[in-house]
Amino acid sequence: MALFAGREQAHASVFCDADIAALASVDAAPATNPRMKPRLAFVLESNAPGSLSGDVVVLTQNAAYDVNFSNVAAAKSASSSLGVTKPILVAFPKPLAVEFAWVDEIGMDGAAQHSCPTDPFGGPGGNDAGEAVSLPPVYSMSGFQIVPATFKMNLPVPDCKEAYSAARMVDWGSQETEYFDTSAGLHTAATVRVFLGSDGKVLDAHVLHSSGSAIVDDAAIEKSANATYSPAIFRCAPIVGTVTIEVTYEIKH
């Protein structure tokens, strides 16, 4: 089994206390109870370490399923202050081609669960699969929750051509910016992640990878926040989304 990390996902974001960070199909050995045969796995990333309870919606091409989980531990990430869960295994009675999944409701540390804006994560059959993260075989991993998927509804065929299209920048605006006082010149870049509402308006922007200069980082955030964007589209409806931008500054002598 391998979990696939999304390229542009807003993991542990302004949209939700926790988001799906990785998703994969599972090639499991035969089970005594076919309804408890794990066929899907996902990892959650939360804004802080803690205990997570909630609901994930899973979509195939023509049906939706609910996956309810409770008291899943999100341990502190080794590289940040975020929380990361072990893979949660999802049981289906038969193989299904999962295309998208998202956190529908979430609660942390016993708090009441709240709804999250739809932020679909492309699964093994979707269009957001990125770098593969290798894991040991399923049955060598102990302490993993196995939760059943419950059929929710059949889905109509969408009118739009693509089930999902990512948010994108439409207009960066003026290329000019304030002068950075440096006698040695300047050639540096900052990577900014912009969070957009379903109307395409900027909800938040922060530095994902710093340029090494606070002044440059602040300028990159300001420019990114003032650019114009079009929202992500999911099953023909505008939804929340993210855009990751590398902002390069250079002074030529």
Side-chain angles (χ1 to χ4, degrees), residues 105-195:
E105 292 189 349
I106 196 73
M108 288 194 68
D109 297 328
Q113 295 179 20
H114 61 87
S115 298
C116 297
T118 302
D119 184 18
F121 188 105
N127 57 8
D128 276 340
E131 181 182 357
V133 181
S134 297
L135 294 175
V138 172
Y139 289 102
S140 71
M141 300 186 291
S142 60
F144 284 30
Q145 270 202 29
I146 300 180
V147 291
T150 304
F151 175 79
K152 186 174 183 179
M153 62 182 291
N154 289 315
L155 299 174
V157 177
D159 294 330
C160 42
K161 184 178 179 180
E162 295 180 328
Y164 175 78
S165 59
R168 61 185 181 87
M169 183 173 61
V170 176
D171 184 12
W172 179 243
S174 171
Q175 297 297 311
E176 296 180 0
T177 188
E178 66 177 281
Y179 173 69
F180 297 109
D181 184 14
T182 171
S183 58
L186 177 71
H187 188 172
T188 189
T191 304
V192 178
R193 175 160 285 166
V194 180
F195 297 87

Side-chain angles (χ1 to χ4, degrees), residues 19-209:
D19 278 329
I20 294 176
L23 187 67
S25 57
V26 174
D27 184 13
T32 304
N33 180 355
R35 290 191 173 276
M36 288 304 291
K37 179 176 179 178
R39 301 182 187 275
L40 186 74
F42 63 85
V43 170
L44 296 176
E45 194 170 62
S46 58
N47 285 325
S51 177
L52 304 175
S53 296
D55 175 78
V56 164
V57 174
V58 174
L59 258 59
T60 64
Q61 192 171 43
N62 53 19
Y65 296 81
D66 275 328
V67 179
N68 293 290
F69 57 90
S70 60
N71 301 318
V72 175
K76 185 180 183 302
S77 169
S79 59
S80 71
S81 61
L82 303 177
V84 180
T85 69
K86 289 183 177 180
I88 300 166
L89 307 182
V90 184
F92 290 95
K94 61 181 180 179
L96 294 173
V98 171
E99 295 194 337
F100 297 97
W102 67 86
V103 175
D104 192 45
E105 292 189 349
I106 196 73
M108 288 194 68
D109 297 328
Q113 295 179 20
H114 61 87
S115 298
C116 297
T118 302
D119 184 18
F121 188 105
N127 57 8
D128 276 340
E131 181 182 357
V133 181
S134 297
L135 294 175
V138 172
Y139 289 102
S140 71
M141 300 186 291
S142 60
F144 284 30
Q145 270 202 29
I146 300 180
V147 291
T150 304
F151 175 79
K152 186 174 183 179
M153 62 182 291
N154 289 315
L155 299 174
V157 177
D159 294 330
C160 42
K161 184 178 179 180
E162 295 180 328
Y164 175 78
S165 59
R168 61 185 181 87
M169 183 173 61
V170 176
D171 184 12
W172 179 243
S174 171
Q175 297 297 311
E176 296 180 0
T177 188
E178 66 177 281
Y179 173 69
F180 297 109
D181 184 14
T182 171
S183 58
L186 177 71
H187 188 172
T188 189
T191 304
V192 178
R193 175 160 285 166
V194 180
F195 297 87
L196 304 171
S198 59
D199 56 2
K201 293 182 179 179
V202 175
L203 300 177
D204 185 45
H206 65 246
V207 171
L208 196 60
H209 299 294

Side-chain angles (χ1 to χ4, degrees), residues 226-241:
N226 289 328
T228 304
Y229 302 88
S230 62
I233 304 295
F234 184 54
R235 295 186 66 84
C236 311
I239 59 167
V240 298

